[in-house]
């Protein structure tokens, strides 16, 4: 970030929310990654609009970061600007059976608000470690639930700072995809339509799913959750297991013994180790079963 750029960004957000040379291992659930050249924390839509519009005008590379739960940042770091939402951009509002959520809020926080207000529909999302914005982009889901089922509308901004509201149909939700995967939109706010329920029953279902996750997934290790999308007519974890890759390891990165669909950081992995394991899994499964596994993980920066 040169002096001119820094001086301009300081007119949008205060100095204390402009960070330099931050290790990205602090901001991703893999707990790996080199340093980001700069991180700018925005706390309002106005700040976000001004910042993104400016970065696009000067053709500066940037990445909008949620909870970093689907992200692998290279060991050599990221040279662009990481834009992170914080403060008021994480707020949750409940009115009747609707919940309006800012993009930076964690899904777990929204699910907790739903339970507290006796609203059903968010049970599946209680254990997903992502932000609402990221969940909308990829239509996050688990245990027969997905965001598509509960989203009423999404407020987004485009590259020029124009804000628009998209309804559920316009979002083009599909398996781990949405219109935002293919358009330069940034999620600002989401309105969810839930149904009235019983708080105790909702809490019990969330606890049931939490125990199911604990029993089947390697939650004791840093990871990005399910590493690969489900191939049509099959399951990534089964293909990986049948390819003889259970426990396959490079450095500190490993195919989980507990669930082969997860690549985990055993505590000392480099980002390059994780990427190599992912690529080796893809190659072996392709060779043995003629199936191409597509990662859910986003690769960012220099490896």
């Amino acid at each position: 970030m040169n002096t001119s750029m820094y001086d301009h960004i300081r007119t949008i957000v205060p100095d204390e929310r402009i960070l330099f040379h931050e290790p990205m291992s602090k901001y991703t659930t893999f707990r790996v990654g080199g340093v980001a050249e700069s991180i700018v924390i925005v706390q309002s839509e106005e700040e976000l609009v001004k910042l993104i519009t400016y970065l696009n005008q000067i053709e500066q590379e940037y990445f909008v970061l949620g909870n970093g739960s689907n992200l692998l940042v290279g060991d050599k770091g990221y040279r662009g600007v990481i834009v992170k939402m914080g403060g008021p951009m994480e707020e949750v509002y409940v009115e009747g059976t609707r919940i309006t959520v800012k993009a930076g809020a964690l899904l777990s926080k929204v699910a907790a608000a739903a339970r507290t207000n006796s609203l059903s529909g968010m049970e599946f999302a209680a254990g997903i470690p992502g932000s609402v914005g990221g969940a909308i982009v990829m239509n996050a889901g688990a245990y027969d639930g997905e965001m598509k089922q509960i989203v009423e509308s999404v407020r987004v901004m485009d590259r020029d700072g124009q804000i628009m509201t998209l309804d559920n149909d316009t979002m083009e939700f599909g398996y781990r995809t949405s219109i935002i995967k293919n358009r330069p939109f940034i999620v600002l706010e989401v309105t969810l339509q839930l149904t009235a329920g019983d708080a105790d029953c909702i809490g019990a279902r969330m606890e049931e799913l939490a125990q199911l996750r604990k029993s089947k997934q390697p939650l004791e290790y840093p990871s990005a959750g399910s590493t690969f999308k489900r191939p049509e007519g099959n399951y990534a974890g089964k293909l990986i297991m049948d390819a003889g890759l259970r426990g396959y390891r490079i450095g500190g990165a490993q195919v989980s013994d507990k669930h082969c669909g997860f690549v985990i950081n055993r505590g000392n992995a480099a980002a390059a180790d994780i990427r190599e394991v992912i690529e080796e899994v893809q190659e072996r499964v392709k060779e043995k079963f003629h199936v191409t596994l597509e990662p859910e993980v986003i690769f960012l920066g220099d490896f």
Side-chain angles (χ1 to χ4, degrees), residues 24 27-28 39 63-68 71 82-85 131:
M24 288 302 293
Y27 297 90
T28 68
I39 297 180
F63 183 83
V64 180
L65 179 69
N67 194 43
L71 185 65
I82 296 289
V83 179
K84 182 156 178 60
M85 299 183 193
S131 66

Side-chain angles (χ1 to χ4, degrees), residues 90-145:
E90 300 173 344
E91 291 179 347
V92 178
Y93 309 91
V94 181
E95 185 176 357
T97 56
R98 286 186 175 87
I99 299 185
T100 300
V101 191
K102 296 296 185 181
L106 293 180
L107 283 174
S108 56
K109 179 180 178 180
V110 184
R115 182 186 64 235
T116 299
N117 289 275
S118 302
L119 297 177
S120 180
M122 282 291 293
E123 290 88 337
F124 76 90
I128 299 176
S131 66
V132 169
I136 291 298
V137 173
M138 66 175 292
N139 187 26
Y143 300 111
D144 298 321

Side-chain angles (χ1 to χ4, degrees), residues 95-281:
E95 185 176 357
T97 56
R98 286 186 175 87
I99 299 185
T100 300
V101 191
K102 296 296 185 181
L106 293 180
L107 283 174
S108 56
K109 179 180 178 180
V110 184
R115 182 186 64 235
T116 299
N117 289 275
S118 302
L119 297 177
S120 180
M122 282 291 293
E123 290 88 337
F124 76 90
I128 299 176
S131 66
V132 169
I136 291 298
V137 173
M138 66 175 292
N139 187 26
Y143 300 111
D144 298 321
E146 58 183 354
M147 297 305 292
K148 175 183 179 179
Q149 298 167 354
I150 56 175
V151 168
E152 180 175 277
S153 62
V154 182
R155 290 181 68 246
V156 301
M157 64 169 286
D158 65 14
R159 290 178 57 88
D160 300 319
Q162 297 299 309
I163 295 175
M164 63 197 83
T165 299
L166 309 179
D167 63 18
N168 190 297
D169 290 339
T170 308
M171 285 297 299
E172 298 179 8
F173 285 122
Y175 175 65
R176 298 298 177 266
T177 190
S178 72
I179 193 173
I180 301 173
K181 290 275 281 187
N182 306 308
R183 303 268 187 105
F185 292 155
I186 295 172
V187 178
L188 301 175
E189 184 180 88
V190 182
T191 298
L192 306 175
Q193 177 64 67
L194 304 181
T195 56
D198 178 80
D200 290 338
C201 292
I202 292 166
R205 178 58 176 163
M206 288 182 178
E207 180 58 29
E208 179 187 353
L209 294 182
Q211 291 304 317
L212 196 57
R213 281 188 173 90
K214 189 175 181 180
S215 68
K216 295 182 177 297
Q217 299 177 6
L219 303 181
E220 63 271 29
Y221 292 105
S223 77
S226 296
T227 306
F228 301 96
K229 296 180 181 179
R230 185 181 66 242
E232 188 173 351
N234 218 314
Y235 293 95
K238 185 178 188 308
L239 290 170
I240 294 166
M241 181 177 65
D242 292 347
L245 289 165
R246 181 189 292 276
Y248 178 77
R249 184 170 178 174
I250 295 176
Q254 180 184 323
V255 174
S256 169
D257 291 310
K258 196 172 188 179
H259 189 316
C260 291
F262 286 63
V263 174
I264 59 173
N265 173 6
R266 290 192 59 89
N268 61 341
D273 295 338
I274 296 170
R275 184 163 188 166
E276 282 187 55
V277 169
I278 290 172
E279 290 173 349
E280 183 67 19
V281 166

